[in-house]
Amino acid sequence: MEAMLEIRNLDKSYGATEILKDINVSAEPGGFLVLVGPSGCGKSTLLNCIAGLESISGGSIHIGGRDMTHVSPKDRNIAMVFQSYALYPTMSVARNITFGMKVRGVDRATRASKLQDVARQLQIEQLLDRRPSQLSGGQRQRVAMGRALVRDPQLFLFDEPLSNLDAKLRVEMRLEIKKLHHDLGATMVYVTHDQIEAMTLATKIVVLKDGVVQQIGSPAEIYRRPANLFVADFMGSPAMNLIPARTSRESGGTRIEIERTGGAPVVLIDTRNGDLPEEVILGLRPEDIAEAGFRAGEEVQEVKCLIDMVEPAGADTFVVSRLAGRQVTARLHSETTAQPGSTLDLAFDLGKVSYFAQDTGERLN
Amino acid sequence: MAAWLERNVPRILLAPSFLAVLVFVYGFIAWTAWVSMTRSRLLPKYEIEGFIQYERLFAAPRWDTAMNNLFIFGALFIVVSMLLGLLLAILLDQKIRTEGALRTIYLYPMALSMIVTGTAWKWIMNPGLGIEAMVRGWGFDEFAFDWVIDPDMAIYAIVVAAVWQASGFVMALFLAGLRSVDEEIIRAARVDGIPTWSIYSAIIIPSMAPIFLSAFIVLAHLAIKSFDLVIALTGGGPGYATDLPATYMYAMAFSRGDIGQAASSAMVMMTVVFAIVVPYLYSELRAKRG
Ligand SMILES: Nc1ncnc2c1ncn2[C@@H]1O[C@H](COP(=O)(O)OP(=O)(O)O)[C@@H](O)[C@H]1O
Ligand SMILES: [Mg+2]
């Protein structure tokens, strides 16, 4: 299947400062591509390059199979939604949505019927005569989406559209965007710094850091097999436990030793991953450390640990223990009897483990 | 005692200036209003005689000319300064590299005294010294540019000088307004396919309405109290062809010895200023509260 968006070897500099370095990304028709990374990593810049709002210093951008590298934004067949909503302040909601069509020469009847369709879809029919200043944040967001929807573009671009909303509304709108994507079957590129948004919306995630792509993959791939320490730490909440460990070969597999103060080292035997360097960072998600007896599997190994802290979080309870000087979080069921200061047998699921090189941070297994 | 002082220090500090304003602004407004109702000539008299000074004023052809001139000058000055200021602001808004230098250059005339502006333009437009002499010197013997000495055109010469002085200031005001529009709105418009001139005319400029109002108020009150520019450029002449209300008042008070006329014309000017400023203040204050 030909990609709807294809970015090849894209570079972008402002003067001598390189903002984006050799970006290669593609989005399949109907896909939901999420660009995620910490603030300042170049996500908006990349999106603006796709939109043609910023010129690029090298590489090419194809949209719908056409080379759009030097095409102006209005001819790229895209629509964009911005973080600040960017509504035209002196125009009514209806005019905000239809003004672009009018300028492009769409006739009055078509404009009116498209406006009605979109207003119904987004439930903003009763707001059409208002000014942007008379709307709440969530309503403005809907109007901004309406303005994008009436374009009926090949590609939708979203730049952190939810980050100005409060937490509850954010979750609601997230679901609506997902539904919209499903209903329209359109291709979307979505920028966010919020990894939960990325995980819930994306069919494909691109993790960026300092203008360099760290990993591209499905949400499950990114979550299960992060390509390096940065991705492991950035994606997932609470974050993946990253524990320095020593390895050595043994008859039954690889022996993994984790230091701890005031006790014997934790020893785990990994029967599946050989060939590890002596010093590694071991990565385990909190849900892959459970209370002994609650997790079964060939690779599950139990270790007695001193519990430092217990944090009930409703459905789950998180407990924290110190290993190798790091706080290691385990996700237990809510009825656990764990007490701070007492010991508890924890089950480490080495079937889900990631190993990273201590020097480069790259994934090893 | 200390507590009393602490509570009243602001009042004590403000009292002298408050008193000064009370006497020298409002006191003299009241005095002028009084005198405008008397038969004062060279010296003020205090017997109220009603509106005879105003009747004389509105019957005087010279006052007619002054009011007409104010209308022509004010309208042209405000409209041309705003249009030129807006045009310059839009041109400067195109992210050109020399913007800082150009902005300073355009803003400089506002730092000059009107007397300097008037004198400079008097020389520039003087047929024997300035543009006319220069172009004739190039060999165009028929060329004429003698507005300053033409009674029908002299008022336009004043408009030229005043526009030169004020349009840079208007430009700075408008440029700040253009820049205050959220960058994302302009990006959205560009993606939406809206051409640049439409972005300005339909999106940016309408959202600058408050700045237009401020510019209008500043220019309007400059126009009404214009005095020094006329004195320096034409001295009100030829004849009294370029008289404005302010120069009329000055002439009556200090060279014609007609304090009654001066006072009544001053009151009319104040009324005109109030007619412009009061609705503005009213709308501003209401907007702040609401
Ligand atoms: N016009 C510009 N000139 C110079 N540097 C810029 C410009 N715009 C953005 N940058 C820099 O590019 C980097 C990436 O910015 P941006 O794409 O907005 O980050 P993000 O959207 O990921 O938070 C930042 O370090 C920012 O300072
Ligand atoms: Mg951004």
Side-chain angles (χ1 to χ4, degrees):
Chain A
M1 195 161 36
E2 194 177 19
M4 181 58 81
L5 170 68
E6 175 105 44
I7 300 170
R8 288 194 213 117
N9 308 103
L10 181 147
D11 292 307
K12 170 73 186 168
S13 321
Y14 287 116
T17 338
E18 274 200 293
I19 305 290
L20 297 170
K21 291 156 213 155
D22 195 28
I23 308 280
N24 287 284
V25 170
S26 66
E28 287 67 42
F32 200 117
L33 180 76
V34 173
L35 307 174
V36 66
S39 139
C41 71
K43 309 177 295 286
S44 297
T45 307
L46 180 53
L47 202 68
N48 288 330
C49 290
I50 298 173
L53 292 166
E54 297 280 356
S55 61
I56 62 179
S57 323
S60 68
I61 296 172
H62 287 72
I63 299 173
R66 257 185 73 200
D67 186 351
M68 297 282 192
T69 314
H70 302 290
V71 174
S72 83
K74 67 179 198 315
D75 299 321
R76 292 194 181 200
N77 203 355
I78 53 169
M80 192 159 172
V81 176
F82 294 85
Q83 177 174 357
S84 65
Y85 319 128
L87 300 178
Y88 309 137
T90 57
M91 296 184 193
S92 68
V93 166
R95 219 161 155 240
N96 257 283
I97 293 174
T98 54
F99 188 60
M101 290 193 284
K102 187 174 169 194
V103 168
R104 290 191 298 273
V106 177
D107 66 83
R108 182 183 285 271
T110 317
R111 294 204 302 263
S113 80
K114 280 201 163 188
L115 174 65
Q116 285 314 316
D117 290 349
V118 163
R120 191 164 348 98
Q121 194 167 11
L122 295 168
Q123 295 154 30
I124 51 174
E125 289 146 302
Q126 71 290 358
L127 305 177
L128 293 180
D129 294 326
R130 296 217 201 145
R131 293 284 172 100
S133 58
Q134 300 166 316
L135 302 178
S136 71
Q139 291 169 330
R140 285 179 210 189
Q141 184 57 74
R142 284 168 194 274
V143 176
M145 302 229 278
R147 190 172 60 184
L149 285 181
V150 292
R151 276 214 79 166
D152 204 5
Q154 285 185 17
L155 192 62
F156 284 94
L157 307 176
F158 295 88
D159 191 353
E160 310 221 19
L162 305 185
S163 56
N164 284 356
L165 301 178
D166 63 54
K168 187 164 173 294
L169 204 52
R170 196 148 63 212
V171 175
E172 259 174 58
M173 289 300 288
R174 197 168 77 199
L175 276 174
E176 267 188 59
I177 292 180
K178 189 156 183 146
K179 186 165 168 300
L180 203 63
H181 173 244
H182 182 264
D183 294 348
L184 295 174
T187 317
M188 298 186 171
V189 181
Y190 187 103
V191 160
T192 179
H193 65 270
D194 180 348
Q195 50 90 20
I196 297 181
E197 252 170 53
M199 296 294 291
T200 49
L201 289 172
T203 57
K204 186 180 198 176
I205 295 180
V206 178
V207 186
L208 274 173
K209 180 198 172 200
D210 298 337
V212 179
V213 172
Q214 304 293 307
Q215 187 173 6
I216 301 180
S218 70
E221 274 165 357
I222 303 258
Y223 191 73
R224 296 264 52 117
R225 298 180 53 79
N228 57 36
L229 280 176
F230 173 79
V231 179
D233 189 47
F234 189 74
M235 302 299 290
S237 168
M240 183 183 262
N241 295 301
L242 296 167
I243 315 162
R246 291 180 156 280
T247 71
S248 53
R249 303 298 303 257
E250 254 190 17
S251 54
T254 310
R255 176 188 161 91
I256 294 157
E257 250 185 64
I258 304 169
E259 297 291 329
R260 56 179 162 181
T261 44
V266 173
V267 176
L268 302 165
I269 307 293
D270 188 334
T271 56
R272 301 205 296 194
N273 295 294
D275 267 351
L276 294 174
E278 200 176 316
E279 309 245 295
V280 298
I281 305 275
L282 176 148
L284 264 181
R285 298 254 172 224
E287 61 269 29
D288 298 326
I289 309 176
E291 192 164 351
F294 286 85
R295 179 67 77 100
E298 275 175 37
E299 308 290 330
V300 175
Q301 294 173 34
E302 297 184 1
V303 177
K304 196 176 277 301
C305 294
L306 179 67
I307 304 302
D308 283 342
M309 229 184 335
V310 178
E311 293 179 46
D316 307 295
T317 296
F318 294 100
V319 302
V320 176
S321 175
R322 281 190 90 75
L323 296 180
R326 305 286 177 93
Q327 298 206 330
V328 174
T329 304
R331 184 177 200 157
L332 311 187
H333 57 94
S334 57
E335 280 92 36
T336 181
T337 55
Q339 289 295 321
S342 65
T343 56
L344 185 71
D345 279 333
L346 293 180
F348 288 71
D349 188 350
L350 288 189
K352 302 285 175 59
V353 74
S354 300
Y355 296 104
F356 303 97
Q358 256 190 358
D359 44 0
T360 62
E362 291 304 311
R363 184 182 187 87
L364 296 167
N365 62 328
Chain B
M1 180 65 190
W4 181 88
L5 256 186
E6 198 168 321
R7 234 179 315 119
N8 289 292
V9 156
R11 271 174 230 169
I12 294 168
L13 286 179
L14 283 178
S17 51
F18 179 75
L19 269 180
V21 168
L22 200 65
V23 172
F24 293 106
V25 177
Y26 297 100
F28 284 130
I29 289 177
W31 185 84
T32 307
W34 184 291
V35 169
S36 76
M37 311 284 270
T38 67
R39 283 187 190 279
S40 304
R41 276 288 186 174
L42 192 56
L43 291 173
K45 299 185 184 130
Y46 295 102
E47 300 83 44
I48 298 272
E49 300 275 354
F51 291 97
I52 41 163
Q53 293 294 357
Y54 293 92
E55 282 159 21
R56 278 181 65 209
L57 186 69
F58 293 126
R62 185 169 175 180
W63 175 254
D64 242 24
T65 311
M67 284 307 268
N68 261 337
N69 279 343
L70 176 63
F71 186 75
I72 297 171
F73 170 76
L76 282 177
F77 169 63
I78 292 171
V79 169
V80 177
S81 295
M82 292 240 245
L83 285 179
L84 204 61
L86 185 63
L87 185 71
L88 289 173
I90 289 177
L91 290 178
L92 262 196
D93 192 34
Q94 308 308 311
K95 310 228 162 68
I96 49 177
R97 212 170 323 136
T98 49
E99 184 195 316
L102 285 177
R103 207 173 43 206
T104 315
I105 291 173
Y106 286 136
L107 206 47
Y108 255 120
M110 197 67 181
L112 292 180
S113 144
M114 282 283 191
I115 296 287
V116 178
T117 304
T119 309
W121 279 95
K122 180 163 84 178
W123 291 336
I124 293 171
M125 295 196 279
N126 181 316
L129 288 173
I131 295 176
E132 184 178 300
M134 183 176 73
V135 176
R136 286 194 179 176
W138 291 340
F140 300 95
D141 290 334
E142 299 302 301
F143 181 80
F145 181 63
D146 55 358
W147 288 7
V148 271
I149 55 166
D150 179 346
D152 292 329
M153 296 304 286
I155 191 69
Y156 301 104
I158 293 177
V159 171
V160 168
V163 164
W164 177 83
Q165 173 144 35
S167 53
F169 164 75
V170 177
M171 175 214 71
L173 214 58
F174 284 166
L175 188 61
L178 295 177
R179 292 287 158 81
S180 69
V181 173
D182 184 0
E183 176 77 15
E184 284 196 343
I185 293 179
I186 297 164
R187 286 168 179 255
R190 284 175 60 199
V191 173
D192 228 356
I194 297 168
T196 309
W197 67 267
S198 273
I199 295 182
Y200 278 109
S201 66
I203 296 168
I204 301 179
I205 292 174
S207 71
M208 284 178 20
I211 294 179
F212 274 88
L213 192 58
S214 302
F216 174 79
I217 295 295
V218 170
L219 293 175
H221 101 272
L222 277 181
I224 294 167
K225 66 180 202 190
S226 274
F227 171 75
D228 33 12
L229 182 66
V230 177
I231 295 294
L233 190 57
T234 62
Y240 52 77
T242 53
D243 245 359
L244 289 178
T247 57
Y248 177 89
M249 179 196 72
Y250 181 82
M252 289 301 149
F254 299 106
S255 45
R256 298 280 294 269
D258 197 339
I259 289 180
Q261 277 296 282
S264 59
S265 61
M267 293 313 289
V268 172
M269 277 170 65
M270 190 181 75
T271 314
V272 175
V273 172
F274 275 10
I276 292 172
V277 172
V278 168
Y280 171 69
L281 285 181
Y282 181 74
S283 71
E284 280 288 288
L285 293 176
R286 203 186 41 181
K288 293 262 159 51
R289 238 179 273 136

